[in-house]
Amino acid sequence: MYTRRNQRHLTSSQRTQFVEAVLELKRAGRYDKYVRLHARYFASDGETGLRVAHMAPTFFPWHRQFLLTFERELQTIDPGVSLPYWDWTADRSATSPLWGPDFMGGNGRDSDGQVMTGPFAYQTGNWPITFGVTQERYLTRNIGRPDRPIVLPTKAELDNALAMGTYDTAPWNSAPSTKGFRNKIEGWTVSETKGGYLHNRVHQWIGGHMIGGASPNDPVFWLHHAFIDLIWIRWQRKHPGSDYLPMKPLAARDPEHGRVISAAEPMPPFGVKPSAVFDHRRFYSYEE
């Protein structure tokens, strides 16, 4: 049992401890498998077969298990490390200490988006990109997306999503007709021109490698998704009578049969059922 902390409350030594563990995982050749794994399971509505990491009810439990697996491997390097979380409703600026040279590093430069500062800058030799949708070997960001400016989600927007009492609904995908907390948080329910999308908007706000299935190439991915995990916990507290849905496997006649995982079916590649990770208190707590 250990504690995940808000990144803004970490001491300088705790930030260094986390960064060094991540860098050592990369040096040891054990980091990039998480980038590949996330990209592999980033299936969209339009694709055939199973949807598990995104655009499906398993968005929350799959990423909880994904983060747990990564965190446990970090702890083989340093048992005192846990994933910090980034509350983007509070730390909303590119000048936040989150983006400091001792932690996540700063924005990408104008010419090519290359991150030039911090421990994950390519020029330091510590963070080559080996798997991605583009050929760049360096980490990229485009914070705030100046050509089409966007802002991070607000507390009011998050509170609005947390007020939704239903976890998810048929057809269990990213369609606007899929009402519920999961799709609202994940961010497929409205267009970006109308605002309101949350998780996806954070990826878009950072830009660069944080866009798309290979987004764990940017280590801030873990801080973003640790907060997404905490958001699920807050929803569970707020709606103790509301279950994960679907609780039972979909009927064979259901058009989403074979595409959506119920509470009692194992999630690939982990072989862990969503129900096994409903209660985070078996593994860790959050300092709020």
Side-chain angles (χ1 to χ4, degrees):
M1 184 70 172
Y2 52 89
T3 301
R4 293 179 178 174
R5 296 178 174 83
N6 190 323
Q7 58 83 26
R8 63 159 47 184
H9 299 147
L10 296 180
T11 64
S12 177
S13 62
Q14 286 171 331
R15 287 196 297 271
T16 299
Q17 191 177 14
F18 175 73
V19 166
E20 285 301 320
V22 172
L23 289 174
E24 179 54 33
L25 205 63
K26 182 79 163 181
R27 283 191 291 265
R30 295 157 57 191
Y31 185 93
D32 292 338
K33 65 186 176 187
Y34 294 99
V35 182
R36 290 182 171 87
L37 191 155
H38 190 267
R40 177 183 175 187
Y41 288 96
F42 193 92
S44 66
D45 291 348
E47 299 176 51
T48 58
L50 186 66
R51 293 191 314 274
V52 60
H54 288 277
M55 306 184 200
T58 37
F59 170 70
F60 284 106
W62 191 92
H63 279 89
R64 174 166 290 175
Q65 185 60 43
F66 185 51
L67 264 64
L68 266 172
T69 304
F70 176 74
E71 190 169 43
R72 286 166 176 166
E73 190 155 9
L74 281 184
Q75 289 167 348
T76 67
I77 294 170
D78 186 338
V81 165
S82 60
L83 292 179
Y85 69 91
W86 166 35
D87 180 350
W88 25 256
T89 69
D91 289 294
R92 306 172 51 77
S93 168
T95 61
S96 163
L98 170 69
W99 307 107
D102 66 335
F103 201 26
M104 292 295 105
N107 195 12
R109 63 185 179 185
D110 291 342
S111 60
D112 57 5
Q114 182 176 172
V115 172
M116 303 299 294
T117 61
F120 307 108
Y122 180 73
Q123 63 181 5
T124 67
N126 292 326
W127 202 257
I129 303 298
T130 64
F131 177 85
V133 296
T134 59
Q135 297 302 310
E136 290 92 348
R137 294 275 291 169
Y138 48 81
L139 178 63
T140 59
R141 291 177 184 145
N142 186 32
I143 292 178
R145 203 177 62 186
D147 59 322
R148 291 174 295 137
I150 53 174
V151 295
L152 290 168
T154 65
K155 184 178 183 300
E157 288 176 303
L158 178 55
D159 288 345
N160 180 56
L162 286 168
M164 303 178 76
T166 301
Y167 179 81
D168 212 345
T169 64
W172 319 106
N173 58 17
S174 68
S177 60
T178 302
K179 306 298 182 184
F181 166 72
R182 188 277 308 169
N183 203 18
K184 182 70 171 178
I185 290 293
E186 194 175 354
W188 307 107
T189 51
V190 292
S191 72
E192 69 177 50
T193 56
K194 295 181 180 179
Y197 67 119
L198 303 177
H199 154 269
N200 289 353
R201 196 193 325 170
V202 178
H203 281 269
Q204 293 286 333
W205 184 84
I206 297 167
H209 278 100
M210 270 290 274
I211 299 175
S215 51
N217 270 314
D218 192 331
V220 80
F221 170 94
W222 307 105
L223 283 71
H224 172 33
H225 271 275
F227 187 51
I228 293 294
D229 187 70
L230 176 55
I231 287 169
W232 184 24
I233 293 167
R234 290 175 177 174
W235 182 85
Q236 290 175 310
R237 291 175 189 155
K238 193 174 181 68
H239 305 280
S242 297
D243 291 324
Y244 170 96
L245 295 170
M247 285 296 287
K248 297 179 180 179
L250 301 183
R253 65 180 179 276
D254 192 304
E256 294 300 306
H257 176 77
R259 302 212 64 202
V260 172
I261 291 175
S262 68
E265 297 172 284
M267 300 180 292
F270 310 114
V272 172
K273 299 173 183 178
S275 59
V277 296
F278 285 169
D279 189 352
H280 74 287
R281 294 171 297 182
R282 296 174 49 210
F283 312 108
Y284 52 83
S285 61
Y286 278 96
E287 183 180 89
E288 297 187 60

